[in-house]
C-alpha cells in the first residue's frame, strides 16, 4: 500500500462510522457501548487538526469548513459525552428516536461529501499511476451497501413510524387536519426528501430496480395512487422494504469480504510506518 492510498482510505474509514450510525435509527434492542465509543473515536480523530479530513477541509475554503462543521455537529449530537441523541445505560446505549431526522440530516450529506472526496482522490491516483487494486472497488461496494441500508431505514421510518403516526393522529381527530397532523405530514415530507436525495445520487442498476416500488408507496401516501385490488397499504409497504432488505442481504457479505482484504493491507501499512519511525528514533 502506498501513502496516497492510505490517505484516500482514511476518508473511507471515516465514512464507515458515518454509515454505521444508521443502526441507531433502527429500533433494535441492544447497542453495545463499546461499539458506540469506537465510532465516536473515529469521528474525534478526524476532527483533529493533523488528520487528512481536517487537512482537506482547511484547504477547501467555505465548502471544507461547512463539511467540518457538519461532522462536529454530528459528533456533539451522537458521540460526545454531552450527546443528546444517545444516552448510556450500563453497557448499552439508548437512542432518542425523536431525534432520528436530525441525525439523518447529518448522515446523508456527510456520506455523500466523503464519497465524493474519496472518488476525487481515486481519480487523482488514476491519473498519476498510484491507484492500487481494490481501492476503487471497496469505495463503490461500500457506497452500494450504504444506499441499500439507508433506503431500508428510510422505508421503515416512513411507513411504520411517520405515516403510522399521521394516521393515528387523523383518526383521533375524526379525519380532520390539526397542528399535530400537519407536524406529522411535515416529517413525512422530510423523509421523502431524504429518500430523493439518496436516489438522485444513485447509479447502481440493482438499487435503481428497487426504486419503483418505493416510489409507488410514496405516491400511495400522497394520495396520487390507489392500492391495487387484492392488496393493502401494508402489503405494498412490505414489498418496498423487502426490496431494500434483499439487496442489503446480498451486498453485505460481498462488502465485508472486500473490506477484510483492504483493512488487512491498511493495518500492515500502518504497522510498517510505526516500525520505521521507531527505528529512526533509536
Amino acid at each position: 500500500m502506498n501513502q496516497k492510498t492510505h490517505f484516500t482510505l482514511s476518508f473511507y474509514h471515516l465514512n464507515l462510522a458515518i454509515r454505521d450510525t444508521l443502526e441507531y435509527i433502527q429500533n433494535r434492542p441492544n447497542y453495545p457501548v463499546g461499539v458506540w465509543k469506537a465510532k465516536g473515536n473515529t469521528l474525534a480523530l478526524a476532527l483533529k487538526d493533523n488528520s487528512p479530513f481536517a487537512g482537506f477541509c482547511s484547504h477547501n475554503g467555505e465548502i471544507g469548513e461547512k463539511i467540518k462543521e457538519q461532522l462536529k455537529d454530528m459528533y456533539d449530537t451522537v458521540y460526545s459525552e454531552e450527546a443528546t441523541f444517545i444516552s448510556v445505560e450500563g453497557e448499552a446505549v439508548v437512542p432518542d428516536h425523536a431525534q432520528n431526522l436530525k441525525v439523518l440530516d447529518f448522515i446523508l450529506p456527510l456520506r455523500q461529501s466523503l464519497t465524493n472526496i474519496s472518488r476525487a482522490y481515486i481519480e487523482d491516483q488514476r491519473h498519476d499511476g498510484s491507484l492500487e487494486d481494490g481501492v476503487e472497488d471497496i469505495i463503490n461496494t461500500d457506497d452500494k451497501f450504504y444506499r441499500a441500508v439507508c433506503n431500508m431505514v428510510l422505508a421503515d421510518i416512513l411507513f411504520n413510524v411517520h405515516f403510522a403516526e399521521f394516521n393515528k393522529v387523523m383518526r383521533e381527530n375524526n379525519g380532520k387536519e390539526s397542528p399535530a397532523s400537519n407536524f406529522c405530514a411535515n416529517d413525512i415530507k422530510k423523509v421523502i426528501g431524504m429518500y430523493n436525495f439518496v436516489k438522485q445520487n444513485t447509479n447502481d442498476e440493482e438499487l435503481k430496480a428497487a426504486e419503483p416500488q418505493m416510489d409507488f408507496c410514496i405516491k400511495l401516501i400522497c394520495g396520487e395512487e390507489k392500492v391495487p385490488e387484492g392488496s393493502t397499504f401494508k402489503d405494498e409497504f412490505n414489498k418496498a422494504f423487502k426490496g431494500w432488505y434483499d439487496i442489503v442481504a446480498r451486498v453485505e457479505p460481498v462488502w465485508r469480504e472486500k473490506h477484510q482484504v483492504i483493512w488487512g493491507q491498511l493495518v500492515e501499512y500502518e504497522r510498517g510506518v510505526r516500525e520505521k519511525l521507531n527505528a529512526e528514533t533509536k
Side-chain angles (χ1 to χ4, degrees), residues 200-254:
Q200 74 183 14
N201 291 289
T202 298
N203 298 310
D204 180 84
E205 290 184 3
E206 188 176 15
L207 293 170
K208 300 300 287 185
E211 290 174 356
Q213 182 62 29
M214 183 80 165
D215 296 339
F216 176 70
C217 289
I218 289 172
K219 290 180 179 179
L220 286 178
I221 288 175
C222 296
E224 298 171 9
E225 289 283 0
K226 294 182 179 180
V227 177
E229 187 175 350
S231 186
T232 65
F233 269 104
K234 187 171 180 58
D235 289 340
E236 297 303 315
F237 294 162
N238 286 343
K239 288 179 188 176
F241 180 85
K242 187 176 185 300
W244 302 121
Y245 177 87
D246 287 347
I247 296 174
V248 170
R250 286 193 293 271
V251 176
E252 181 173 12
V254 176

Side-chain angles (χ1 to χ4, degrees), residues 171-191:
R171 285 195 303 271
E172 291 173 348
N173 203 39
N174 298 316
K176 296 179 182 178
E177 291 185 1
S178 65
S181 68
N182 290 338
F183 181 83
C184 293
N186 189 51
D187 282 348
I188 288 172
K189 290 177 183 177
K190 287 180 182 178
V191 179

Side-chain angles (χ1 to χ4, degrees), residues 192-204:
I192 293 172
M194 290 174 180
Y195 163 69
N196 285 331
F197 175 78
V198 176
K199 178 182 176 182
Q200 74 183 14
N201 291 289
T202 298
N203 298 310
D204 180 84

Side-chain angles (χ1 to χ4, degrees), residues 8 28 42 86 140 204 208 235 240:
T8 299
R28 291 166 50 186
T42 298
I86 292 290
N140 290 338
D204 180 84
K208 300 300 287 185
D235 289 340

Side-chain angles (χ1 to χ4, degrees), residues 113-211:
S113 294
L114 290 168
T115 299
N116 291 345
I117 293 166
S118 297
R119 285 176 169 159
Y121 283 127
I122 284 170
E123 285 305 309
D124 287 344
Q125 287 192 261
R126 195 192 318 279
H127 290 148
D128 68 19
S130 66
L131 182 62
E132 296 181 276
D133 290 344
V135 177
E136 185 173 22
D137 191 26
I138 193 63
I139 299 298
N140 290 338
T141 304
D142 166 63
D143 185 57
K144 180 174 181 176
F145 182 35
Y146 155 73
R147 291 180 188 280
V149 172
C150 188
N151 283 334
M152 182 180 71
V153 170
L154 291 173
D156 182 32
I157 65 171
L158 177 59
F159 306 144
N160 298 320
V161 178
H162 298 290
F163 187 60
E165 181 64 19
F166 174 79
N167 284 333
K168 177 175 176 288
V169 168
M170 290 293 286
R171 285 195 303 271
E172 291 173 348
N173 203 39
N174 298 316
K176 296 179 182 178
E177 291 185 1
S178 65
S181 68
N182 290 338
F183 181 83
C184 293
N186 189 51
D187 282 348
I188 288 172
K189 290 177 183 177
K190 287 180 182 178
V191 179
I192 293 172
M194 290 174 180
Y195 163 69
N196 285 331
F197 175 78
V198 176
K199 178 182 176 182
Q200 74 183 14
N201 291 289
T202 298
N203 298 310
D204 180 84
E205 290 184 3
E206 188 176 15
L207 293 170
K208 300 300 287 185
E211 290 174 356

